[in-house]
Amino acid sequence: MAVSAMYFLAMPSGVVAAADPKPGEPGAWYVYKCQAGGVRDAVYRPPIWIPDAPQQGGGAAQPTPAQLAQIARNQLRLPTPQIQANPINEQLVNLPTWLWLARGDWGAVSATAAVPGVSVTAVARPTSVVWTMGDGSSVTCRGPGTPYGSRTTPKSPSPDCGYTYKMSSAGQPDSAFAVSATVHWTVTWTGAGQTGVFPDMTTTSNADFRVAESQALNNGG
């Protein structure tokens, strides 16, 4: 036997027959019909109610909080570090070099992704700066560094981020050391009652430091 509907040509696939329709439930009553064209089954078998099958492809599912977090992370716009140093034009062997980043390069950065009913925010926070000094050494600073002050004694080292060259940059390409500052950022996200952590992000800038042999300082007397 085959099953056909009073109002449709065939039973919808993927549905289960029900004894009685639920209030407001979409569907139709179906009767049995013999393939050979007989009417016996239509007479002796009562009609059955079959709900409509769920619609396929009726709209894309909403992204999960984790997927929204990835979108928010991709929207983060981290500042490119601006390298600052003192002495300004030329570093000197055996004289402390102060290293720092320009104002505004250090602070939390956030981005939010949302769909109706769900909002997720990703936040990136700077944690350290790795300075590669070009002479084979590197310095890791836990903050942006302290700007050199006009009243600071030239021989005074930076209180939190500095380096002292032990050799000149003579003989290097363009007679300068290739220096880079790489900021490491931790990235977390929160939303929809959930939290998570992404792998660290980094931003990098480069500069050339010319380092000359320092002359003896005359302190008088």
Side-chain angles (χ1 to χ4, degrees):
M1 298 293 179
V3 181
S4 63
M6 290 180 177
Y7 304 106
F8 299 96
L9 295 177
M11 178 194 293
S13 61
V15 297
V16 178
D20 295 301
K22 298 177 181 178
E25 181 182 54
W29 288 100
Y30 289 76
V31 295
Y32 284 87
K33 178 181 178 182
C34 293
Q35 290 180 332
V39 296
R40 177 179 177 182
D41 286 89
V43 173
Y44 291 100
R45 295 194 183 190
I48 59 172
W49 173 263
I50 299 179
D52 288 347
Q55 292 185 356
Q56 302 296 322
Q62 283 195 346
T64 65
Q67 291 171 329
L68 283 176
Q70 183 64 57
I71 295 172
R73 178 191 180 277
N74 294 340
Q75 293 176 345
L76 290 170
R77 296 295 178 262
L78 305 183
T80 300
Q82 300 178 53
I83 293 176
Q84 305 288 330
N86 190 83
I88 299 175
N89 297 318
E90 191 174 73
Q91 314 305 312
L92 297 175
V93 172
N94 295 323
L95 188 70
T97 295
W98 288 47
L99 304 168
W100 70 94
L101 302 180
R103 295 182 181 275
D105 292 348
W106 197 269
V109 178
S110 64
T112 299
V115 294
V118 182
S119 176
V120 175
T121 298
V123 180
R125 295 179 174 86
T127 57
S128 64
V129 188
V130 177
W131 294 81
T132 302
M133 304 310 298
D135 63 348
S137 298
S138 63
V139 177
T140 299
C141 301
R142 298 302 175 184
T146 301
Y148 183 86
S150 59
R151 297 183 180 180
T152 305
T153 304
K155 287 187 176 181
S156 299
S158 168
D160 54 5
C161 191
Y163 182 72
T164 300
Y165 282 102
K166 301 300 183 182
M167 59 183 293
S168 74
S169 58
Q172 299 294 319
D174 297 326
S175 298
F177 288 124
V179 175
S180 66
T182 300
V183 181
H184 290 258
W185 304 75
T186 60
V187 185
T188 59
W189 64 269
T190 57
Q194 301 182 32
T195 62
V197 179
F198 284 113
D200 285 0
M201 298 176 71
T202 60
T203 51
T204 302
S205 282
N206 302 293
D208 292 330
F209 281 14
R210 286 183 170 81
V211 182
E213 295 287 349
S214 60
Q215 304 297 318
L217 296 179
N218 185 358
N219 293 327

